[in-house]
Amino acid sequence: MKDDKLGETTKALVDDGDVNSISPSLFTEVFDAFEEAVVITDASRRIVYVNSATERLFGYSKNELYGEETKILYADENDFSEQGRRRFNTSSKIAAENYRVAYRRSDGEQFFGLTTGAVMRAKDGKVAGFIGIVRPARSTDQSLDTLQKIHNITSDVALSHSNKIELLLRVGLDHFGLEKAIVSRIVGSQYTIDYCVDLKGELEPLTTFDLSGTYCVHTLSAGKSVGFHFVAKSKIQNHPCYANFKLESYIGAPIRLSGQLYGTINFSSPSPVEPFCKDDHILITLLSDTVSYLLYKKQSEEEMKRLASVDGLTGLPNRRATMERLNELVDQSSRFGNSLSVLSIDIDHFKSINDKWGHAAGDLALTEFARLASEVKRKTDFCGRMGGEEFVFFLPGANLEASQKLGNNLRKRLAIAPIDFGSGASTTLSISVGVAMLENGESPESLLARADEAMYKAKQEGRDRVYLASHTIN
């Protein structure tokens, strides 16, 4: 209920100057559905009504509170006196306003509450009683501690962006007191878990759900942070997510990346919690913005790394990326005993193409070769450009016979694919191919050198052929 409407509503409830004259059923009809705790007192600050949320928040039954001074709810008697002096007195002129104060539950536990307090007046303007609406608030110390943790994580240069996101999810779990934390990726109606921390180990990254079956559909509909602290008592109690997973509490916010919806960050639990306060919504919005920045940095760095590993002309992996992949494949083959073959390829008479038709024609020849080579290779094969007109294939699991066959298939494919340079000029390509298969204990450098040597043998024997490498010398 908005503060400026609170005074009007409470005034309408009082007609003869005494809140005790109002039927408790009327108070119940008006206030019992509130998620916040509602406390109504007479002019002497003795409690005449509390709603069900007050019982849950403070741990007292209605009968234990009725007739008691509100002092019973305060953590510090001085705060009770100060609030009485400031606003809860028959001379008060203060309009409804928000303030923070420390309260105590029936078991002695203290908590901070964001409170909206107002005077209830009769038609003649006399004070008939007082009303307070209480929402639990995180303590200042807890909020500051959470902010410090977020700062420490995001400023740690030793952590990867993915590590930072996971740690931020753990900070959120600790702050909100929930069990499951998710960063989701949403495309159309598909909801995919990108990152998650689940204290019970039930969720895994890459798990997908239909968006309509998640509470996040409400977050996206609102376009801002949304929280439900007790779903069974809320307006979404019939949501399929509650029916399927019995998640009682949820708070989430949209994540936007470069102005477009990316997904959500959300926290949930099968247990109800105290109502989420304004500070909680501010915090999850901060977490959303922070995760958005980390995702942007991660994508930017991955794109830079990709561009640094790609040959700008052909789009194939460049020499550095190609050698890194060869090292990885040799290591895997050596550890698991799998075969690995290498094809070293050189385009025949490439210099004559540049000399006859120019460098633009040479560039077109290289790009056409790369396109055809990518079509011929298997999904598990790797094709990279070493420089100039030199290329390599890495064939995991292939023996010499299979590798020789692929080399010849590529030769034949090139022979029937003329390259049109324009103005009636065209040519086909031929290649010299050397093939070597990894031997026991052989290094990546030795394997590649043997394939290169075989390629030069193919050139010496007339080009446009595939030549098998000799064995290593033990």
Side-chain angles (χ1 to χ4, degrees), residues 246-266:
K246 297 300 180 189
L247 294 176
E248 288 284 9
S249 47
Y250 164 93
I251 186 168
I255 296 175
R256 293 181 176 85
L257 198 60
S258 301
Q260 302 296 317
L261 176 69
Y262 179 88
T264 63
I265 179 172
N266 61 87

Side-chain angles (χ1 to χ4, degrees), residues 15-72:
D15 55 10
D16 66 354
D18 185 2
V19 293
N20 288 295
S21 66
I22 302 174
S23 168
S25 62
L26 178 58
F27 282 139
T28 299
E29 182 179 346
V30 175
F31 295 117
D32 207 55
F34 276 36
E35 293 184 355
E36 301 91 345
V38 177
V39 180
I40 297 176
T41 74
D42 58 21
S44 64
R45 301 179 72 188
R46 292 192 178 277
I47 299 171
V48 299
Y49 171 79
V50 297
N51 65 351
S52 297
T54 304
E55 293 181 290
R56 292 193 298 269
L57 180 58
F58 287 93
Y60 292 104
S61 68
K62 290 181 171 69
N63 290 334
E64 289 176 310
L65 291 175
Y66 288 165
E68 295 289 337
E69 285 187 315
T70 51
K71 182 192 303 183
I72 192 175

Side-chain angles (χ1 to χ4, degrees), residues 76-379:
D76 188 336
E77 188 173 328
N78 291 327
D79 285 335
F80 169 77
S81 300
E82 174 61 22
Q83 294 303 323
R85 181 192 66 78
R86 178 173 174 78
R87 59 175 55 84
F88 296 125
N89 62 76
T90 55
S91 302
S92 176
K93 303 296 183 183
I94 296 179
E97 64 177 1
N98 296 324
Y99 59 94
R100 185 194 295 258
V101 72
Y103 292 106
R104 178 183 286 111
R105 296 186 174 89
S106 62
D107 61 4
E109 181 185 357
Q110 296 185 20
F111 69 96
F112 279 94
L114 292 173
T115 306
T116 303
V119 176
M120 300 179 71
R121 298 183 185 277
K123 290 180 179 179
D124 61 5
K126 291 183 179 180
V127 174
F130 306 99
I131 184 171
I133 299 179
V134 182
R135 298 168 290 278
R138 308 291 173 186
S139 70
T140 302
D141 287 345
Q142 182 181 357
S143 296
L144 290 175
D145 180 59
T146 299
L147 291 174
Q148 183 64 55
K149 289 178 181 177
I150 293 173
H151 170 74
N152 291 343
I153 291 169
T154 55
S155 61
D156 191 340
V157 296
L159 295 173
S160 69
H161 298 310
S162 294
N163 290 151
K164 289 179 180 180
I165 291 173
E166 180 176 336
L167 290 173
L168 289 173
L169 291 178
R170 293 186 180 278
V171 168
L173 285 180
D174 183 57
H175 181 87
F176 297 121
L178 301 176
E179 292 183 4
K180 304 176 189 297
I182 294 173
V183 169
S184 70
R185 179 79 169 99
I186 296 173
V187 178
S189 62
Q190 181 170 291
Y191 173 106
T192 303
I193 297 177
D194 258 9
Y195 300 86
C196 68
V197 176
D198 186 347
L199 301 185
K200 291 190 175 180
E202 297 170 344
L203 295 175
E204 293 183 357
L206 302 182
T207 305
T208 61
F209 301 93
D210 189 275
L211 175 61
S212 63
T214 72
Y215 293 148
C216 290
V217 70
H218 296 286
T219 300
L220 299 189
S221 177
K224 61 180 182 180
S225 63
V226 169
F228 303 99
H229 75 283
F230 197 173
V231 172
K233 302 291 185 180
S234 75
K235 62 184 179 182
I236 65 164
Q237 59 183 282
N238 295 320
H239 193 279
C241 187
Y242 185 66
N244 294 329
F245 304 107
K246 297 300 180 189
L247 294 176
E248 288 284 9
S249 47
Y250 164 93
I251 186 168
I255 296 175
R256 293 181 176 85
L257 198 60
S258 301
Q260 302 296 317
L261 176 69
Y262 179 88
T264 63
I265 179 172
N266 61 87
F267 301 85
S268 59
S269 174
S271 301
V273 295
E274 296 174 353
F276 297 109
C277 65
K278 182 178 180 180
D279 289 352
D280 294 327
H281 287 277
I282 291 173
L283 177 68
I284 196 164
T285 301
L286 173 64
L287 286 171
S288 171
D289 292 342
T290 305
V291 169
S292 174
Y293 173 74
L294 292 172
L295 289 171
Y296 172 78
K297 290 283 289 182
K298 182 173 182 288
Q299 289 185 0
S300 297
E301 291 177 10
E302 287 175 348
E303 178 64 10
M304 290 177 64
K305 183 178 180 181
R306 186 191 71 80
L307 291 174
S309 65
V310 171
D311 174 56
L313 177 63
T314 64
L316 295 175
N318 61 19
R319 183 183 184 90
R320 184 178 69 177
T322 297
M323 292 305 298
E324 288 177 354
R325 185 57 179 155
L326 178 59
N327 285 320
E328 292 171 357
L329 290 173
V330 168
D331 179 64
Q332 291 173 10
S333 296
S334 299
R335 283 190 291 122
F336 300 110
N338 299 325
S339 57
L340 171 67
S341 293
V342 170
L343 274 63
S344 176
I345 302 170
D346 187 87
I347 299 176
D348 296 331
H349 305 296
F350 180 75
K351 185 176 181 299
S352 65
I353 297 176
N354 283 331
D355 293 342
K356 187 173 183 179
W357 292 294
H359 289 286
D363 289 347
L364 180 59
L366 292 172
T367 56
E368 282 299 294
F369 170 84
R371 181 181 66 82
L372 291 172
S374 297
E375 291 178 358
V376 169
K377 73 181 183 67
R378 304 171 303 172
K379 288 183 178 181

